[in-house]
Amino acid sequence: MLLSHGYAMSAAVDFSKISVTEKSGSRSLGRSLEFSWALRDGLEVTAFTEEQEALVVKSWNSMKTNAGELGRKFFLRIFEIAPSAKNLFKFLKDSDIPIEQNPKLKPHAMTVFVMTCESAVQLRKAGKVAVRDSNLKDLGANHFKYGVADEHFEVTKYALLETIKEAVPEMWSPEMKNAWGEAYDQLTAAIKNEMKPPSQISQGKNIEK
């Protein structure tokens, strides 16, 4: 589950028994999907190719004018897969308003969606993961604080790829899926690398001084 800097989550959710229905049937996401980022700890990631960059840029250029609505669909897909995920977000957990009507959902979802997509677009040129209007240390600290786990990232990846697939069906291909998947994997690997307890963060700051 990717968080934008500034929005609070309220508690950890167990995603280990979530099932996802696809054309091939229903399968347990936590047990059946290989966590593609699992071998990326320590930022041991593969190079993002020029071809992958072109696919990501082309599709993002088509999507970004509708980023608000796509971000909303992205998060609604997450909640469709894992309804309990709404309990992670205080502005949803404590609200009697239906999720799709909550006025705070769209701006938060758009922030996360745009951050994720723009991180993918600049990945090859920057040569590293970078995020807009925030930094990886803050994102890592937030994800650690609220107990974001392996399964959260995988559910979010599935929802992201499905959202993009529906947004640009005429462009979608196995190669585009792999490009977006690779970019997302590198973003989550970078965030996971910064998911440290406050004591380690403080020690790191002292060393930098």
Side-chain angles (χ1 to χ4, degrees):
M1 179 73 68
L2 297 181
L3 312 178
S4 67
H5 183 53
Y7 268 93
M9 295 174 73
S10 58
V13 172
D14 180 8
F15 282 71
S16 61
K17 297 181 180 179
I18 292 170
S19 293
V20 179
T21 301
E22 297 180 325
K23 290 182 179 180
S24 58
S26 180
R27 60 182 178 177
S28 172
L29 189 60
R31 292 192 296 270
S32 300
L33 288 188
E34 177 183 355
F35 291 157
S36 55
W37 51 263
L39 300 178
R40 301 164 187 274
D41 291 346
L43 301 185
E44 296 180 0
V45 295
T46 58
F48 200 61
T49 69
E50 185 175 352
E51 291 76 16
Q52 288 175 318
E53 178 189 50
L55 291 169
V56 165
V57 170
K58 180 181 180 181
S59 50
W60 176 233
N61 284 340
S62 178
M63 293 188 293
K64 61 185 176 182
T65 56
N66 195 32
E69 184 58 27
L70 290 175
R72 179 176 173 275
K73 290 181 178 180
F74 169 39
F75 265 65
L76 289 177
R77 178 59 64 89
I78 292 173
F79 299 138
E80 178 185 348
I81 299 169
S84 60
K86 70 176 183 179
N87 294 323
L88 290 167
F89 299 89
K90 184 175 177 59
F91 70 89
L92 294 176
K93 180 182 179 182
D94 298 337
S95 176
D96 295 326
I97 304 172
I99 293 176
E100 62 274 10
Q101 298 177 19
N102 191 301
K104 294 183 179 180
L105 175 63
K106 188 172 182 177
H108 176 74
M110 178 178 177
T111 297
V112 174
F113 185 69
V114 171
M115 177 195 75
T116 303
C117 292
E118 291 191 344
S119 173
V121 167
Q122 60 75 49
L123 184 58
R124 182 172 176 273
K125 289 183 179 179
K128 62 180 182 180
V129 172
V131 290
R132 187 183 72 168
D133 298 333
S134 185
N135 63 68
L136 289 169
K137 290 186 182 297
D138 288 340
L139 287 173
N142 279 346
H143 283 72
F144 180 87
K145 178 180 179 181
Y146 297 111
V148 176
D150 300 349
E151 294 86 355
H152 303 149
F153 288 114
E154 203 66 24
V155 167
T156 304
K157 178 180 179 179
Y158 178 87
L160 175 70
L161 295 178
E162 287 296 297
T163 300
I164 296 172
K165 177 182 178 180
E166 292 178 4
V168 290
E170 71 287 352
M171 299 181 192
W172 193 251
S173 65
E175 292 76 17
M176 181 170 284
K177 178 181 180 180
N178 290 337
W180 278 105
E182 175 65 30
Y184 176 86
D185 288 343
Q186 295 203 28
L187 173 61
T188 57
I191 292 174
K192 282 172 61 64
N193 194 55
E194 299 295 343
M195 288 177 64
K196 306 169 184 176
S199 59
Q200 289 188 21
I201 296 175
S202 298
Q203 290 174 5
K205 289 182 178 178
N206 291 333
I207 292 174
E208 290 176 359
K209 291 180 180 179

